[in-house]
Amino acid sequence: MSPHQGGEFGRQRVGQGGGDLVPDARFDGQFEVPSGVRSSGSAPEGDGGRGQPQVLGVVVDGVQFPYRKILDRQATQPLIDDLKWLAGELGAARDQEVLAARLRDRIGELPDTLLLGPVEARLTIWATAGDVRTRRIAVAALDSDRYLGLLARLDALLAGPPLLKAARKAPDAAIPDAVLREYRRVERRVDHALALDPGPERDVALHESRKAAKRARYAAEAATPALGRPARTFAKRMKAVQKVLGDHQDSVVARDAVRDLAVAAHAAGESAFTWGLLHGREQAQAAEREAELPEAWAGAADPALRAALTS
């Protein structure tokens, strides 16, 4: 098939079937094992350093859900379940590390006159306890047979994807529809979230929108070899939405942690003033991210961008 270009979102098509995209899928989840996580020593010598800090690929871009008509879901479901398990086991350690660093930065921004009570000491105790708990979970996961089996199944997926009949169709028949299905999912969730008043319910809806935007981005990135520039541009716009919503969710999580620290400080007879101040700053930052969402979403929802995916 000859290349075709056109307009800002013009694409270059290649003569692939939908299934040909699967071997090009990148393991791009990048669940980074936090610094300091090591093997417990039970790993056999020559294991490739699986206990060392490393970046683990545990998400197949756009393959799990948007391309369910191309890949046999029954065959991939055990892999998906293991990916979710690993994300949970390693994600807690990484989240704890990032959250502690965020709170340290926020405290460091405050003048000494606003640091009332043993704020830094309490944060250190909280962070250390969380690190010990989550790192133990992460190390156990990396030392498990389930993790080694997951690596083998990832290799097997790329070596011989379980393709359905739809995978033999040309990309124009399968790939754009998959990306657009994910777009519609994001659209429904964003519209729902924006219709809600600020508060916990809206926070949850925005978090669900972030997860949908991430899936849509992955679907578009996986489609880029077939659809070219339109898919690449769509993924970039969706990534911008994902970032705004991710920053918002980070603030939601930080507020919950700060409140817990404030309650503990109050129970110990310490001043909770500084924690209340930090909570207010996080709430203000979340409001700023919410104000940025309509513009970011307008870029991703550009009708011309979607039209280019199918033209």
Side-chain angles (χ1 to χ4, degrees), residues 123-155:
L123 177 61
T124 298
I125 293 171
W126 171 86
T128 300
D131 283 347
V132 171
R133 182 183 67 256
T134 56
R135 289 170 191 272
R136 185 182 298 117
I137 294 172
V139 167
L142 295 177
D143 276 339
S144 69
D145 291 338
R146 186 174 184 179
Y147 171 63
L148 291 179
L150 169 58
L151 297 181
R153 282 191 289 277
L154 286 171
D155 288 338

PDB file of all heavy atoms in Angstrom, residues 123-155:
ATOM      1  N   LEU A 123       7.175  13.082  60.074  1.00  0.00           N
ATOM      2  CA  LEU A 123       7.154  12.619  58.689  1.00  0.00           C
ATOM      3  C   LEU A 123       8.175  11.502  58.476  1.00  0.00           C
ATOM      4  O   LEU A 123       7.890  10.514  57.792  1.00  0.00           O
ATOM      5  CB  LEU A 123       7.446  13.779  57.737  1.00  0.00           C
ATOM      6  CG  LEU A 123       7.527  13.405  56.250  1.00  0.00           C
ATOM      7  CD1 LEU A 123       6.207  12.811  55.765  1.00  0.00           C
ATOM      8  CD2 LEU A 123       7.909  14.607  55.399  1.00  0.00           C
ATOM      9  N   THR A 124       9.364  11.645  59.083  1.00  0.00           N
ATOM     10  CA  THR A 124      10.403  10.622  58.939  1.00  0.00           C
ATOM     11  C   THR A 124       9.942   9.288  59.516  1.00  0.00           C
ATOM     12  O   THR A 124      10.136   8.230  58.909  1.00  0.00           O
ATOM     13  CB  THR A 124      11.701  11.076  59.623  1.00  0.00           C
ATOM     14  OG1 THR A 124      12.186  12.263  58.977  1.00  0.00           O
ATOM     15  CG2 THR A 124      12.763   9.987  59.541  1.00  0.00           C
ATOM     16  N   ILE A 125       9.309   9.323  60.683  1.00  0.00           N
ATOM     17  CA  ILE A 125       8.806   8.091  61.297  1.00  0.00           C
ATOM     18  C   ILE A 125       7.746   7.448  60.409  1.00  0.00           C
ATOM     19  O   ILE A 125       7.764   6.233  60.166  1.00  0.00           O
ATOM     20  CB  ILE A 125       8.234   8.397  62.695  1.00  0.00           C
ATOM     21  CG1 ILE A 125       9.361   8.832  63.627  1.00  0.00           C
ATOM     22  CG2 ILE A 125       7.495   7.184  63.249  1.00  0.00           C
ATOM     23  CD1 ILE A 125       8.879   9.366  64.971  1.00  0.00           C
ATOM     24  N   TRP A 126       6.843   8.251  59.908  1.00  0.00           N
ATOM     25  CA  TRP A 126       5.765   7.748  59.032  1.00  0.00           C
ATOM     26  C   TRP A 126       6.340   7.151  57.752  1.00  0.00           C
ATOM     27  O   TRP A 126       5.945   6.064  57.316  1.00  0.00           O
ATOM     28  CB  TRP A 126       4.814   8.898  58.710  1.00  0.00           C
ATOM     29  CG  TRP A 126       3.796   8.591  57.669  1.00  0.00           C
ATOM     30  CD1 TRP A 126       2.571   7.997  57.855  1.00  0.00           C
ATOM     31  CD2 TRP A 126       3.887   8.853  56.269  1.00  0.00           C
ATOM     32  NE1 TRP A 126       1.903   7.875  56.666  1.00  0.00           N
ATOM     33  CE2 TRP A 126       2.687   8.398  55.673  1.00  0.00           C
ATOM     34  CE3 TRP A 126       4.866   9.437  55.461  1.00  0.00           C
ATOM     35  CZ2 TRP A 126       2.454   8.508  54.303  1.00  0.00           C
ATOM     36  CZ3 TRP A 126       4.629   9.540  54.102  1.00  0.00           C
ATOM     37  CH2 TRP A 126       3.438   9.086  53.537  1.00  0.00           C
ATOM     38  N   ALA A 127       7.288   7.857  57.138  1.00  0.00           N
ATOM     39  CA  ALA A 127       7.864   7.403  55.872  1.00  0.00           C
ATOM     40  C   ALA A 127       8.668   6.120  56.065  1.00  0.00           C
ATOM     41  O   ALA A 127       8.608   5.198  55.244  1.00  0.00           O
ATOM     42  CB  ALA A 127       8.749   8.496  55.276  1.00  0.00           C
ATOM     43  N   THR A 128       9.418   6.044  57.150  1.00  0.00           N
ATOM     44  CA  THR A 128      10.238   4.850  57.395  1.00  0.00           C
ATOM     45  C   THR A 128       9.365   3.623  57.598  1.00  0.00           C
ATOM     46  O   THR A 128       9.637   2.541  57.050  1.00  0.00           O
ATOM     47  CB  THR A 128      11.145   5.070  58.620  1.00  0.00           C
ATOM     48  OG1 THR A 128      12.004   6.192  58.380  1.00  0.00           O
ATOM     49  CG2 THR A 128      11.985   3.840  58.892  1.00  0.00           C
ATOM     50  N   ALA A 129       8.311   3.762  58.377  1.00  0.00           N
ATOM     51  CA  ALA A 129       7.401   2.645  58.610  1.00  0.00           C
ATOM     52  C   ALA A 129       6.762   2.185  57.306  1.00  0.00           C
ATOM     53  O   ALA A 129       6.640   0.984  57.039  1.00  0.00           O
ATOM     54  CB  ALA A 129       6.334   3.046  59.625  1.00  0.00           C
ATOM     55  N   GLY A 130       6.367   3.140  56.474  1.00  0.00           N
ATOM     56  CA  GLY A 130       5.768   2.789  55.192  1.00  0.00           C
ATOM     57  C   GLY A 130       6.750   2.123  54.259  1.00  0.00           C
ATOM     58  O   GLY A 130       6.403   1.173  53.543  1.00  0.00           O
ATOM     59  N   ASP A 131       7.997   2.594  54.264  1.00  0.00           N
ATOM     60  CA  ASP A 131       9.034   1.996  53.412  1.00  0.00           C
ATOM     61  C   ASP A 131       9.287   0.543  53.788  1.00  0.00           C
ATOM     62  O   ASP A 131       9.386  -0.334  52.922  1.00  0.00           O
ATOM     63  CB  ASP A 131      10.343   2.785  53.537  1.00  0.00           C
ATOM     64  CG  ASP A 131      10.315   4.091  52.764  1.00  0.00           C
ATOM     65  OD1 ASP A 131       9.393   4.262  51.943  1.00  0.00           O
ATOM     66  OD2 ASP A 131      11.206   4.933  52.979  1.00  0.00           O
ATOM     67  N   VAL A 132       9.404   0.283  55.063  1.00  0.00           N
ATOM     68  CA  VAL A 132       9.672  -1.081  55.511  1.00  0.00           C
ATOM     69  C   VAL A 132       8.545  -2.014  55.081  1.00  0.00           C
ATOM     70  O   VAL A 132       8.787  -3.118  54.573  1.00  0.00           O
ATOM     71  CB  VAL A 132       9.847  -1.118  57.044  1.00  0.00           C
ATOM     72  CG1 VAL A 132       9.896  -2.561  57.547  1.00  0.00           C
ATOM     73  CG2 VAL A 132      11.116  -0.377  57.449  1.00  0.00           C
ATOM     74  N   ARG A 133       7.321  -1.562  55.272  1.00  0.00           N
ATOM     75  CA  ARG A 133       6.160  -2.406  54.944  1.00  0.00           C
ATOM     76  C   ARG A 133       6.070  -2.674  53.446  1.00  0.00           C
ATOM     77  O   ARG A 133       5.932  -3.829  53.010  1.00  0.00           O
ATOM     78  CB  ARG A 133       4.885  -1.714  55.416  1.00  0.00           C
ATOM     79  CG  ARG A 133       3.620  -2.528  55.169  1.00  0.00           C
ATOM     80  CD  ARG A 133       2.378  -1.779  55.588  1.00  0.00           C
ATOM     81  NE  ARG A 133       2.126  -0.608  54.752  1.00  0.00           N
ATOM     82  CZ  ARG A 133       2.358   0.645  55.107  1.00  0.00           C
ATOM     83  NH1 ARG A 133       2.898   0.924  56.280  1.00  0.00           N
ATOM     84  NH2 ARG A 133       2.092   1.656  54.291  1.00  0.00           N
ATOM     85  N   THR A 134       6.178  -1.639  52.626  1.00  0.00           N
ATOM     86  CA  THR A 134       5.979  -1.817  51.192  1.00  0.00           C
ATOM     87  C   THR A 134       7.168  -2.473  50.509  1.00  0.00           C
ATOM     88  O   THR A 134       7.004  -3.215  49.541  1.00  0.00           O
ATOM     89  CB  THR A 134       5.694  -0.458  50.521  1.00  0.00           C
ATOM     90  OG1 THR A 134       6.765   0.464  50.804  1.00  0.00           O
ATOM     91  CG2 THR A 134       4.393   0.140  51.051  1.00  0.00           C
ATOM     92  N   ARG A 135       8.381  -2.253  51.003  1.00  0.00           N
ATOM     93  CA  ARG A 135       9.550  -2.890  50.411  1.00  0.00           C
ATOM     94  C   ARG A 135       9.551  -4.394  50.681  1.00  0.00           C
ATOM     95  O   ARG A 135       9.980  -5.183  49.840  1.00  0.00           O
ATOM     96  CB  ARG A 135      10.838  -2.255  50.933  1.00  0.00           C
ATOM     97  CG  ARG A 135      11.063  -0.856  50.400  1.00  0.00           C
ATOM     98  CD  ARG A 135      12.205  -0.172  51.129  1.00  0.00           C
ATOM     99  NE  ARG A 135      12.245   1.244  50.788  1.00  0.00           N
ATOM    100  CZ  ARG A 135      12.911   1.731  49.753  1.00  0.00           C
ATOM    101  NH1 ARG A 135      13.571   0.916  48.946  1.00  0.00           N
ATOM    102  NH2 ARG A 135      12.901   3.022  49.494  1.00  0.00           N
ATOM    103  N   ARG A 136       9.050  -4.771  51.854  1.00  0.00           N
ATOM    104  CA  ARG A 136       8.952  -6.201  52.149  1.00  0.00           C
ATOM    105  C   ARG A 136       8.015  -6.880  51.144  1.00  0.00           C
ATOM    106  O   ARG A 136       8.292  -7.987  50.659  1.00  0.00           O
ATOM    107  CB  ARG A 136       8.436  -6.393  53.576  1.00  0.00           C
ATOM    108  CG  ARG A 136       8.421  -7.855  54.024  1.00  0.00           C
ATOM    109  CD  ARG A 136       7.867  -8.000  55.433  1.00  0.00           C
ATOM    110  NE  ARG A 136       8.690  -7.295  56.408  1.00  0.00           N
ATOM    111  CZ  ARG A 136       8.257  -6.274  57.141  1.00  0.00           C
ATOM    112  NH1 ARG A 136       7.011  -5.837  57.000  1.00  0.00           N
ATOM    113  NH2 ARG A 136       9.055  -5.696  58.014  1.00  0.00           N
ATOM    114  N   ILE A 137       6.940  -6.215  50.826  1.00  0.00           N
ATOM    115  CA  ILE A 137       5.989  -6.754  49.853  1.00  0.00           C
ATOM    116  C   ILE A 137       6.623  -6.838  48.469  1.00  0.00           C
ATOM    117  O   ILE A 137       6.479  -7.838  47.750  1.00  0.00           O
ATOM    118  CB  ILE A 137       4.723  -5.876  49.818  1.00  0.00           C
ATOM    119  CG1 ILE A 137       3.974  -5.956  51.151  1.00  0.00           C
ATOM    120  CG2 ILE A 137       3.802  -6.292  48.667  1.00  0.00           C
ATOM    121  CD1 ILE A 137       2.829  -4.968  51.265  1.00  0.00           C
ATOM    122  N   ALA A 138       7.359  -5.790  48.080  1.00  0.00           N
ATOM    123  CA  ALA A 138       7.983  -5.766  46.752  1.00  0.00           C
ATOM    124  C   ALA A 138       9.039  -6.849  46.599  1.00  0.00           C
ATOM    125  O   ALA A 138       9.109  -7.538  45.575  1.00  0.00           O
ATOM    126  CB  ALA A 138       8.601  -4.381  46.496  1.00  0.00           C
ATOM    127  N   VAL A 139       9.870  -7.029  47.627  1.00  0.00           N
ATOM    128  CA  VAL A 139      10.921  -8.044  47.558  1.00  0.00           C
ATOM    129  C   VAL A 139      10.313  -9.436  47.456  1.00  0.00           C
ATOM    130  O   VAL A 139      10.781 -10.284  46.682  1.00  0.00           O
ATOM    131  CB  VAL A 139      11.854  -7.941  48.785  1.00  0.00           C
ATOM    132  CG1 VAL A 139      12.751  -9.164  48.889  1.00  0.00           C
ATOM    133  CG2 VAL A 139      12.710  -6.676  48.690  1.00  0.00           C
ATOM    134  N   ALA A 140       9.263  -9.675  48.222  1.00  0.00           N
ATOM    135  CA  ALA A 140       8.605 -10.983  48.164  1.00  0.00           C
ATOM    136  C   ALA A 140       8.054 -11.254  46.773  1.00  0.00           C
ATOM    137  O   ALA A 140       8.127 -12.378  46.263  1.00  0.00           O
ATOM    138  CB  ALA A 140       7.488 -11.041  49.208  1.00  0.00           C
ATOM    139  N   ALA A 141       7.518 -10.221  46.137  1.00  0.00           N
ATOM    140  CA  ALA A 141       6.984 -10.397  44.784  1.00  0.00           C
ATOM    141  C   ALA A 141       8.091 -10.743  43.794  1.00  0.00           C
ATOM    142  O   ALA A 141       7.942 -11.640  42.961  1.00  0.00           O
ATOM    143  CB  ALA A 141       6.253  -9.127  44.342  1.00  0.00           C
ATOM    144  N   LEU A 142       9.218 -10.054  43.877  1.00  0.00           N
ATOM    145  CA  LEU A 142      10.324 -10.285  42.942  1.00  0.00           C
ATOM    146  C   LEU A 142      11.019 -11.621  43.177  1.00  0.00           C
ATOM    147  O   LEU A 142      11.686 -12.135  42.276  1.00  0.00           O
ATOM    148  CB  LEU A 142      11.334  -9.141  43.046  1.00  0.00           C
ATOM    149  CG  LEU A 142      10.832  -7.767  42.607  1.00  0.00           C
ATOM    150  CD1 LEU A 142      11.910  -6.714  42.836  1.00  0.00           C
ATOM    151  CD2 LEU A 142      10.395  -7.769  41.162  1.00  0.00           C
ATOM    152  N   ASP A 143      10.873 -12.161  44.364  1.00  0.00           N
ATOM    153  CA  ASP A 143      11.467 -13.466  44.666  1.00  0.00           C
ATOM    154  C   ASP A 143      10.506 -14.623  44.401  1.00  0.00           C
ATOM    155  O   ASP A 143      10.849 -15.778  44.670  1.00  0.00           O
ATOM    156  CB  ASP A 143      11.902 -13.522  46.134  1.00  0.00           C
ATOM    157  CG  ASP A 143      13.274 -12.910  46.353  1.00  0.00           C
ATOM    158  OD1 ASP A 143      14.041 -12.816  45.381  1.00  0.00           O
ATOM    159  OD2 ASP A 143      13.572 -12.520  47.495  1.00  0.00           O
ATOM    160  N   SER A 144       9.325 -14.318  43.889  1.00  0.00           N
ATOM    161  CA  SER A 144       8.298 -15.343  43.774  1.00  0.00           C
ATOM    162  C   SER A 144       8.363 -16.084  42.435  1.00  0.00           C
ATOM    163  O   SER A 144       8.830 -15.555  41.423  1.00  0.00           O
ATOM    164  CB  SER A 144       6.913 -14.710  43.928  1.00  0.00           C
ATOM    165  OG  SER A 144       6.610 -13.889  42.817  1.00  0.00           O
ATOM    166  N   ASP A 145       7.878 -17.307  42.438  1.00  0.00           N
ATOM    167  CA  ASP A 145       7.740 -18.070  41.200  1.00  0.00           C
ATOM    168  C   ASP A 145       6.738 -17.413  40.257  1.00  0.00           C
ATOM    169  O   ASP A 145       6.863 -17.517  39.034  1.00  0.00           O
ATOM    170  CB  ASP A 145       7.293 -19.500  41.511  1.00  0.00           C
ATOM    171  CG  ASP A 145       8.373 -20.314  42.220  1.00  0.00           C
ATOM    172  OD1 ASP A 145       9.562 -19.944  42.092  1.00  0.00           O
ATOM    173  OD2 ASP A 145       8.030 -21.292  42.898  1.00  0.00           O
ATOM    174  N   ARG A 146       5.758 -16.742  40.826  1.00  0.00           N
ATOM    175  CA  ARG A 146       4.750 -16.091  39.993  1.00  0.00           C
ATOM    176  C   ARG A 146       5.379 -15.012  39.117  1.00  0.00           C
ATOM    177  O   ARG A 146       5.013 -14.850  37.949  1.00  0.00           O
ATOM    178  CB  ARG A 146       3.650 -15.472  40.867  1.00  0.00           C
ATOM    179  CG  ARG A 146       2.483 -14.906  40.073  1.00  0.00           C
ATOM    180  CD  ARG A 146       1.367 -14.442  40.985  1.00  0.00           C
ATOM    181  NE  ARG A 146       0.212 -13.977  40.219  1.00  0.00           N
ATOM    182  CZ  ARG A 146      -0.920 -13.536  40.752  1.00  0.00           C
ATOM    183  NH1 ARG A 146      -1.064 -13.511  42.069  1.00  0.00           N
ATOM    184  NH2 ARG A 146      -1.913 -13.123  39.976  1.00  0.00           N
ATOM    185  N   TYR A 147       6.329 -14.270  39.677  1.00  0.00           N
ATOM    186  CA  TYR A 147       7.003 -13.224  38.911  1.00  0.00           C
ATOM    187  C   TYR A 147       7.823 -13.822  37.763  1.00  0.00           C
ATOM    188  O   TYR A 147       7.786 -13.333  36.634  1.00  0.00           O
ATOM    189  CB  TYR A 147       7.903 -12.411  39.839  1.00  0.00           C
ATOM    190  CG  TYR A 147       8.809 -11.442  39.119  1.00  0.00           C
ATOM    191  CD1 TYR A 147       8.282 -10.392  38.368  1.00  0.00           C
ATOM    192  CD2 TYR A 147      10.199 -11.574  39.184  1.00  0.00           C
ATOM    193  CE1 TYR A 147       9.113  -9.502  37.716  1.00  0.00           C
ATOM    194  CE2 TYR A 147      11.030 -10.688  38.525  1.00  0.00           C
ATOM    195  CZ  TYR A 147      10.486  -9.650  37.796  1.00  0.00           C
ATOM    196  OH  TYR A 147      11.297  -8.784  37.132  1.00  0.00           O
ATOM    197  N   LEU A 148       8.565 -14.911  38.051  1.00  0.00           N
ATOM    198  CA  LEU A 148       9.348 -15.555  36.998  1.00  0.00           C
ATOM    199  C   LEU A 148       8.432 -16.107  35.905  1.00  0.00           C
ATOM    200  O   LEU A 148       8.750 -16.029  34.717  1.00  0.00           O
ATOM    201  CB  LEU A 148      10.197 -16.681  37.594  1.00  0.00           C
ATOM    202  CG  LEU A 148      11.350 -16.249  38.510  1.00  0.00           C
ATOM    203  CD1 LEU A 148      12.089 -17.473  39.037  1.00  0.00           C
ATOM    204  CD2 LEU A 148      12.311 -15.322  37.776  1.00  0.00           C
ATOM    205  N   GLY A 149       7.298 -16.654  36.307  1.00  0.00           N
ATOM    206  CA  GLY A 149       6.341 -17.148  35.322  1.00  0.00           C
ATOM    207  C   GLY A 149       5.780 -16.028  34.475  1.00  0.00           C
ATOM    208  O   GLY A 149       5.545 -16.196  33.268  1.00  0.00           O
ATOM    209  N   LEU A 150       5.580 -14.859  35.084  1.00  0.00           N
ATOM    210  CA  LEU A 150       5.086 -13.700  34.345  1.00  0.00           C
ATOM    211  C   LEU A 150       6.081 -13.280  33.264  1.00  0.00           C
ATOM    212  O   LEU A 150       5.694 -12.998  32.123  1.00  0.00           O
ATOM    213  CB  LEU A 150       4.841 -12.547  35.311  1.00  0.00           C
ATOM    214  CG  LEU A 150       4.568 -11.161  34.706  1.00  0.00           C
ATOM    215  CD1 LEU A 150       3.359 -11.212  33.785  1.00  0.00           C
ATOM    216  CD2 LEU A 150       4.371 -10.124  35.801  1.00  0.00           C
ATOM    217  N   LEU A 151       7.357 -13.244  33.602  1.00  0.00           N
ATOM    218  CA  LEU A 151       8.362 -12.877  32.606  1.00  0.00           C
ATOM    219  C   LEU A 151       8.345 -13.843  31.425  1.00  0.00           C
ATOM    220  O   LEU A 151       8.454 -13.433  30.264  1.00  0.00           O
ATOM    221  CB  LEU A 151       9.758 -12.858  33.250  1.00  0.00           C
ATOM    222  CG  LEU A 151       9.995 -11.836  34.362  1.00  0.00           C
ATOM    223  CD1 LEU A 151      11.429 -11.940  34.871  1.00  0.00           C
ATOM    224  CD2 LEU A 151       9.693 -10.424  33.885  1.00  0.00           C
ATOM    225  N   ALA A 152       8.198 -15.125  31.724  1.00  0.00           N
ATOM    226  CA  ALA A 152       8.160 -16.123  30.658  1.00  0.00           C
ATOM    227  C   ALA A 152       6.928 -15.938  29.781  1.00  0.00           C
ATOM    228  O   ALA A 152       6.993 -16.065  28.551  1.00  0.00           O
ATOM    229  CB  ALA A 152       8.170 -17.531  31.260  1.00  0.00           C
ATOM    230  N   ARG A 153       5.795 -15.617  30.392  1.00  0.00           N
ATOM    231  CA  ARG A 153       4.566 -15.427  29.609  1.00  0.00           C
ATOM    232  C   ARG A 153       4.636 -14.170  28.749  1.00  0.00           C
ATOM    233  O   ARG A 153       4.063 -14.125  27.652  1.00  0.00           O
ATOM    234  CB  ARG A 153       3.361 -15.389  30.535  1.00  0.00           C
ATOM    235  CG  ARG A 153       2.924 -16.772  31.011  1.00  0.00           C
ATOM    236  CD  ARG A 153       1.583 -16.726  31.692  1.00  0.00           C
ATOM    237  NE  ARG A 153       1.664 -16.068  32.989  1.00  0.00           N
ATOM    238  CZ  ARG A 153       2.050 -16.683  34.111  1.00  0.00           C
ATOM    239  NH1 ARG A 153       2.412 -17.957  34.075  1.00  0.00           N
ATOM    240  NH2 ARG A 153       2.076 -16.034  35.253  1.00  0.00           N
ATOM    241  N   LEU A 154       5.319 -13.130  29.236  1.00  0.00           N
ATOM    242  CA  LEU A 154       5.494 -11.928  28.420  1.00  0.00           C
ATOM    243  C   LEU A 154       6.311 -12.245  27.168  1.00  0.00           C
ATOM    244  O   LEU A 154       5.988 -11.798  26.064  1.00  0.00           O
ATOM    245  CB  LEU A 154       6.182 -10.834  29.233  1.00  0.00           C
ATOM    246  CG  LEU A 154       5.348 -10.134  30.300  1.00  0.00           C
ATOM    247  CD1 LEU A 154       6.222  -9.237  31.155  1.00  0.00           C
ATOM    248  CD2 LEU A 154       4.224  -9.321  29.667  1.00  0.00           C
ATOM    249  N   ASP A 155       7.382 -13.011  27.344  1.00  0.00           N
ATOM    250  CA  ASP A 155       8.188 -13.415  26.191  1.00  0.00           C
ATOM    251  C   ASP A 155       7.366 -14.254  25.220  1.00  0.00           C
ATOM    252  O   ASP A 155       7.454 -14.082  23.998  1.00  0.00           O
ATOM    253  CB  ASP A 155       9.402 -14.216  26.658  1.00  0.00           C
ATOM    254  CG  ASP A 155      10.450 -13.349  27.343  1.00  0.00           C
ATOM    255  OD1 ASP A 155      10.448 -12.126  27.106  1.00  0.00           O
ATOM    256  OD2 ASP A 155      11.259 -13.891  28.116  1.00  0.00           O
TER     257      ASP A 155
END
